[in-house]
Each structure stands twice: as structure tokens, then as C-alpha cells.
Amino acid sequence: MPTYNAPLRDMKFVMEEVLNVGQLTEYEKFAEADTETLDAILEQSAKFTSEVLAPLNAVGDHEGCVRHPDGSVTTPTGFKEAYQQVVEGGMMGLAQDPEYGGMGMPGVWHIAAGEMQSAANMAFAMYPGLTNGAIKAIEIGGSDAQKQTYLPKMISGEWTGMMNLTEPHCGTDLGMLKTKAVPNSDGSYKITGQKIFISAGEHDMSDNIIHLCLARIEGAPAGVKGISLFIVPKFKLDADGNPAERNTVTCGSIEEKMGIHGNSTCVMNYDEAEGYLIGEENKGLRVMFVMMNRARLDVGMQGLAQSEVAYQNAASYAKDRTQGRALTGPKNEDGPADPIIVHPDVRRMLMETKAFNEGGRALVYWSALLEDLEGVHADEKFREKADDYLGLLTPVIKGYLTDMAMKTTIDCQQIFGGHGFIEEWGMSQFVRDTRIALIYEGANGVQALDLVGRKLARNGGRALMTLNAEIDAFLKENGDNEKLAEFMTGLKDAKDKLTQGTMWLMQNGMSNPNNAGAGSVDYMHMMGLTSLAYMWAMMGVTAQKAIDDGSNEDFYPNKIITGRYFMLRMLPMMDAHLAKIKTGAEPVMALEAAAF
């Protein structure tokens, strides 16, 4: 059975040494967010995920969720008890508003704890993860009464929540949405329609489930301009705010899926269910997209998390499994064969996964820190920069990290050879669970189009120009460090090639939009590679300083070795992506549709 141990040393390196999350204690909101508290929370989370959640991962995969004739759903063995530990430990409220019962800790702490949960048991982690997204939406768009009614129970974990967007005939194109809302005389609405692919739509782990449902009020404008957002609880509330009568929103079936079997992905039927408008009529997408942008960062983290747990098990297997001899001569002379980690191709797959994981972790944590600082920083220009960066990087984190995680989890499965194809080793689950991350919360091709079509041009391209200037300043400050010459040369070269790709799209995308569409995924990967190059350059500087200051810990030279691998073996993919962008749309669109 696969195992998982949180990479605490690397997490702390990124958070405390590279990003200096301790700077947050300078602000009143995070005054209690000191290193000692962070370490305690990380260690508590690591213990829970390795001892409780990881052993349930295969259980959830094998058992799945069960729908009963009355529409109720039972989660896999052990899930309900594990969730109760989440509630009792106050883990749901880690980064939530203290006004509603949260701990008020930084979001970057929450993302680190979330990485552990997702790595140990992605299907389980989706239940609290989706609740956090619903909390965010109610915080942003809900009335004071709605916040007081729902947030304390959701933040405590007594109630869970999720979003209901997709319908059988519309996924990405929400303008085609048909679910309708009819006003009642008391200010509530009757919601009628069907939603599909609703993760955590029905289960047995909480006292109530708060559905956030997109619907169209009678007479609303067609398309996306006429969509409103509603709170639709599983159980209506009595006068004291406690669950009472069952609402008419039910699970019609559980989707048969490739992966995340432990999560109840439901078809939800709304039959004049009682719902309550969040915010203004016809303005529901404005609130929902804030929630979805947060979710997209979490999905990028899910990809990273699956890649991490796959790597841990593949590395352990490679050091133990003996097959063949090293090309340079036997390394295990007393045995009949050498461990497969001696083979360069096995090393290649492990190094690529390790370099991706560590660079991706830094990128996700950096983005989460920017989000924290955006909310408290006194400098308006800094808050503007943080918002710009988050807008630019969100589709990259969601799209690039999950694309890469699909590759790295497959590589880790490959290291097991035929055993990787056998369920008892567990590697196929990591591959299958990762697959959904490329699809939900906006398919990766859509993320690439969003990046090229909207995020680049936003505010006259200010976000990328600011990021380029920041990288230039970093290179000027650290460019003379001969020990890190490969890091600095690689980062500069990546930034220059990204600029070439940007200019080509600007010059050719307007005249033929298909040029932008054909090159969008390659451009997203170029942005991802450049972002990771920046993270690796920052980590390289930090690690080299520790070495120069006399540290004897192997961690730091190993970090330099891993970073060199990224710069020398992974960053050259920039050339291939740039070359493909410059071919334009013609080779992509030349074949007539009938010829496919």
C-alpha cells in the first residue's frame, strides 16, 4: 500500500526561508502567526494526513460512495470518522474570519495544510476544500444575515458546502444554463433544474449541506448576464437556525468516474427547492467566479500534491527494486542485480518529478502569500501588484501545474514497470485521481485561452510588465553570483523567450484570433516554465547563502542540484513551445472538419 509523509523540511524552507512568511506578523491581522505556531500546525497536519487520511485513500478508491433508494449517500468506510477529527481539531477554520469562529491564520498556511490533505487523500480533501470555497462566496456576496446564519456552522465544519454550476447541456458555456428560479412571496425562490458533476453534492459527514446554485430568475436576460446565485440548503432551517425539514434538492445518481471515487460526484435534482438569493439579481457569476478563481489555485495545488505522493512512492521503490546492472558496472556487487535507481532513465523521471514538485510548491505558496499580503499591505501599489500577479498566475497554476502533474504521476507509475499497472501498488490511483484536475474548474485549454485572451491584456499588460521588471531587478541583484550562473542565465533566457512569445501573439493574434488559440497552451506552458525558473532562482539564492554561511545540512546542496536539473533539462522546453507558437494557426486549422 502506498504511503505519504508530508515534506515538512521543504515546506518550511519555502515558507520560512525563501518567502519569509514571518513578515505577516508585522500586520495586526496576523500578529499571532509566528513561526512556532506555524510549525505546530504543520506538524499536526502532517501527523493527521499520514496516519489517518493516507490509509483511507485506497479504501475510498475501492469502495466509492453508495447512493441509497431515498437519495441519501454513504461515504467510504472511515471517511465520516476522519472528517469528525477535522471538525474537532478546528482544521476547517484555520484561515477563516475570527468573527465567524475562524482562527484567522494566513491563507499560505491553509494552502500548505491543504497540500498535505490532497496528497494523502485527494477525494477526502475535496469535502472541506469545497466548503472553503462556498464560505468565500458567502463572505463576498452574502447579506449580513446570511453570513451570521451560515458561516459559523460551515467554518466549524458542522455544515459543508459546494457549488452547483454544470448542467447536462452546458459546462464551460454557462450562458446556456436552464435551471430556473421563481420568486416566492416571502422573498425566497423555488429552484428547479438538474446539475451534474457536483462534487460532494450529497454525503453523510455533516449535519447540513449548503448548495450554492446558479439559476436564472424568470424574465432574466439571456446568456451570462441573466444568471443569479442562490443558497439552497439540504435541510431548511427552523426559527433558531437549526436543520429542520428536508429541502427538495436530492441526489439522483452518483457519477461513475475514472478517479476520486471517495468523493460523491452527484447528479443533483432541484424540484422547486427553496433557495435564497445571494447578492443582486443577475449578478451571480460575479460572486461565483471569485470562488472559482480561489478553487483554481486549489486545483493547481491538487496536481502538485498528487505528483508529490507519487514521487515519494516511486523514489522508495526505485531504491529497493533490483533489476539489471548499472551501465558503468555493478553497484550492488553482493546481489544479483542493482537497484533501478542506478539507471539514468529512472533518475530522469525522478529528477523531473522532484524538480517540478519543489518549483511548483514555491509558486503555489508564493501566490498564496501574495493573496495574504494583498489584504493587509499598506502600500496601494503593492496591493495592485499582488492583484495583478494573482490574475496572471491563476490560469498558469491551474493549467500548467496540472498538465505537468499528469506527466509526472505517469512517470512515477512507469518506474514501477508492470507493478505500476497493478492496483495493489496504488500508483494507478494517483494517475486516475490527477486526471480530473485538468478538467474541472475550467478545462486547461480554457485556462490557456483566458491567459492569452484576457489576463495578458488586462490593464494594458501591466501584470506581465511588472513581473518582468521584478525579474530584471532580481537578476541585477544576483547576476554576479558565479556559483548560480546557470540559474541566472536560465531565468534570463526564459524571460526573454517568453517576451518573444508574447510579442508574436500580440502582433498576430489580433489579425487572426486562431493564432492566439492555437498557441495558447504552449504560451501557458512557457509562462509556467518561466515562473518556476524564477522560483528556482530564488530558492537557489537562499540555499547557496545557507551553504556560504556554513550550513552542513545536505538539504541545501541537494536543493542546488535539483535546481540545476530544472534549468538544464526542463527549461529548454521553452524553445519548443516558442517554435510551435510561431507556426501560427495554419497547420492546426488546415484540415477540413470532414477529414477528421
Side-chain angles (χ1 to χ4, degrees):
M1 178 183 293
T3 60
Y4 170 72
N5 292 291
L8 289 177
R9 181 66 185 91
D10 198 63
M11 289 176 163
K12 292 177 183 180
F13 169 72
V14 173
M15 295 175 75
E16 297 173 5
E17 299 179 58
V18 179
L19 300 180
N20 182 28
V21 297
Q23 65 184 289
L24 291 169
T25 59
E26 299 171 10
Y27 303 94
E28 182 179 356
K29 181 179 179 179
F30 300 126
E32 298 180 7
D34 55 61
T35 299
E36 183 177 350
T37 305
L38 169 61
D39 288 349
I41 287 173
L42 291 179
E43 288 165 13
Q44 175 192 2
S45 296
K47 180 178 173 63
F48 173 70
T49 53
S50 65
E51 296 181 2
V52 178
L53 292 190
L56 293 176
N57 198 36
V59 174
D61 189 50
H62 295 152
E63 290 187 12
C65 296
V66 178
R67 179 189 178 275
H68 303 287
D70 63 355
S72 64
V73 171
T74 302
T75 50
T77 302
F79 271 45
K80 186 174 182 179
E81 292 76 13
Y83 183 74
Q84 191 58 38
Q85 292 188 49
V86 171
V87 174
E88 292 172 356
M91 292 181 241
M92 281 295 302
L94 177 61
Q96 304 296 352
D97 192 338
E99 181 180 351
Y100 304 107
M103 294 173 60
M105 293 294 108
V108 66
W109 293 20
H110 169 78
I111 205 81
E115 182 197 334
M116 295 185 209
Q117 288 195 16
S118 290
N121 194 325
M122 180 171 159
F124 176 92
M126 290 171 66
Y127 293 99
L130 287 161
T131 302
N132 282 314
I135 289 169
K136 185 76 170 177
I138 295 173
E139 281 182 334
I140 294 166
S143 65
D144 289 341
Q146 287 171 337
K147 293 176 186 178
Q148 293 294 338
T149 299
Y150 295 101
L151 292 183
K153 296 287 190 181
M154 296 171 76
I155 287 172
S156 71
E158 295 174 69
W159 298 352
T160 56
M162 91 296 300
M163 64 178 99
N164 290 241
L165 287 78
T166 306
E167 299 182 4
H169 54 281
C170 76
T172 301
D173 188 357
L174 291 173
M176 298 172 64
L177 182 145
K178 292 181 179 178
T179 299
K180 67 178 181 178
V182 178
N184 294 319
S185 58
D186 63 359
S188 65
Y189 290 78
K190 293 177 181 177
I191 313 296
T192 302
Q194 186 179 77
K195 302 288 185 177
I196 63 171
F197 307 156
I198 307 306
S199 302
E202 173 64 27
H203 56 80
D204 60 347
M205 298 200 300
S206 63
D207 296 336
N208 205 354
I209 302 174
I210 309 306
H211 300 265
L212 297 188
C213 179
L214 289 178
R216 196 182 304 278
I217 297 173
E218 283 189 323
V224 296
K225 294 182 179 180
I227 297 176
S228 300
L229 181 63
F230 299 87
I231 292 174
V232 187
K234 173 180 175 179
F235 292 101
K236 301 176 187 179
L237 306 183
D238 63 20
D240 297 322
N242 297 314
E245 178 186 356
R246 184 74 158 83
N247 208 347
T248 52
V249 52
T250 57
C251 172
S253 64
I254 295 177
E255 306 282 10
E256 294 287 341
K257 311 187 296 290
M258 176 180 176
I260 54 168
H261 296 150
N263 195 272
S264 54
T265 306
C266 302
V267 174
M268 300 301 299
N269 296 321
Y270 288 77
D271 184 12
E272 296 191 344
E274 188 171 295
Y276 316 101
L277 181 69
I278 298 180
E280 301 177 53
E281 290 186 7
N282 307 326
K283 304 291 185 184
L285 284 185
R286 183 179 301 171
V287 177
M288 186 61 81
F289 276 130
V290 173
M291 176 183 176
M292 288 181 69
N293 277 331
R294 172 70 261 176
R296 285 166 180 162
L297 294 174
D298 289 340
V299 172
M301 175 269 289
Q302 286 179 340
L304 161 68
Q306 290 303 290
S307 184
E308 172 63 36
V309 68
Y311 165 79
Q312 289 186 17
N313 286 276
S316 177
Y317 183 84
K319 288 184 281 188
D320 182 66
R321 174 72 166 173
T322 54
Q323 289 283 286
R325 289 296 190 185
L327 298 176
T328 54
K331 305 300 180 186
N332 178 31
E333 294 183 358
D334 295 332
D338 291 332
I340 62 173
I341 200 166
V342 304
H343 302 306
D345 193 55
V346 172
R347 289 291 191 104
R348 173 188 63 81
M349 291 185 282
L350 287 173
M351 285 298 294
E352 187 143 322
T353 307
K354 179 176 173 63
F356 164 70
N357 292 349
E358 294 177 15
R361 178 173 296 114
L363 180 61
V364 171
Y365 289 13
W366 182 52
S367 299
L369 176 61
L370 287 172
E371 190 173 42
D372 285 329
L373 288 169
E374 182 187 6
V376 297
H377 206 285
D379 185 349
E380 183 179 350
K381 291 297 292 183
F382 182 92
R383 296 197 303 272
E384 176 184 272
K385 181 185 81 167
D387 182 67
D388 284 350
Y389 283 9
L390 287 167
L392 183 70
L393 293 174
T394 293
V396 177
I397 289 172
K398 196 283 181 185
Y400 173 71
L401 292 193
T402 58
D403 275 353
M404 281 297 298
M406 193 73 246
K407 178 186 183 302
T408 55
T409 53
I410 290 173
D411 280 350
C412 289
Q413 182 189 36
Q414 181 76 10
I415 288 169
F416 281 70
H419 293 295
F421 201 65
I422 304 301
E423 289 296 332
E424 69 178 276
W425 290 86
M427 298 305 289
S428 69
Q429 184 184 354
F430 302 139
V431 174
R432 289 184 285 104
D433 285 356
T434 299
R435 188 66 187 89
I436 186 58
L438 286 69
I439 299 171
Y440 62 11
E441 304 303 344
N444 285 0
V446 176
Q447 299 304 310
L449 285 174
D450 179 49
L451 173 64
V452 170
R454 296 178 56 208
K455 299 301 173 60
L456 275 181
R458 184 184 174 203
N459 298 314
R462 186 177 66 200
L464 185 56
M465 289 189 289
T466 305
L467 180 58
N468 282 339
E470 180 174 323
I471 291 173
D472 285 339
F474 176 87
L475 289 169
K476 183 177 180 180
E477 181 180 355
N478 298 284
D480 293 336
N481 190 334
E482 294 182 1
K483 296 175 182 177
L484 296 172
E486 291 163 324
F487 286 73
M488 302 307 154
T489 300
L491 175 58
K492 182 180 185 304
D493 186 60
K495 193 209 76 164
D496 290 345
K497 287 186 170 67
L498 181 66
T499 300
Q500 290 181 47
T502 306
M503 295 302 296
W504 193 95
L505 289 173
M506 289 175 60
Q507 293 164 3
N508 296 276
M510 293 291 289
S511 59
N512 181 1
N514 278 343
N515 283 329
S520 59
V521 169
D522 285 294
Y523 186 84
M524 179 178 72
H525 278 245
M526 290 185 75
M527 182 76 78
L529 283 162
T530 304
S531 299
L532 261 64
Y534 186 28
M535 296 301 104
W536 268 115
M538 287 196 289
M539 290 190 287
V541 168
T542 304
Q544 189 60 55
K545 184 178 186 305
I547 295 169
D548 293 343
D549 288 346
S551 173
N552 294 318
E553 188 180 357
D554 289 341
F555 176 87
Y556 295 110
N558 289 343
K559 183 66 69 173
I560 297 292
I561 291 169
T562 307
R564 283 189 70 248
Y565 182 92
F566 177 84
M567 294 295 179
L568 299 178
R569 294 277 304 196
M570 297 174 70
L571 206 51
M573 283 301 297
M574 291 288 290
D575 293 298
H577 290 305
L578 180 60
K580 288 193 286 183
I581 287 172
K582 289 182 176 181
T583 65
E586 192 279 328
V588 177
M589 306 301 291
L591 194 64
E592 292 294 333
F596 281 91

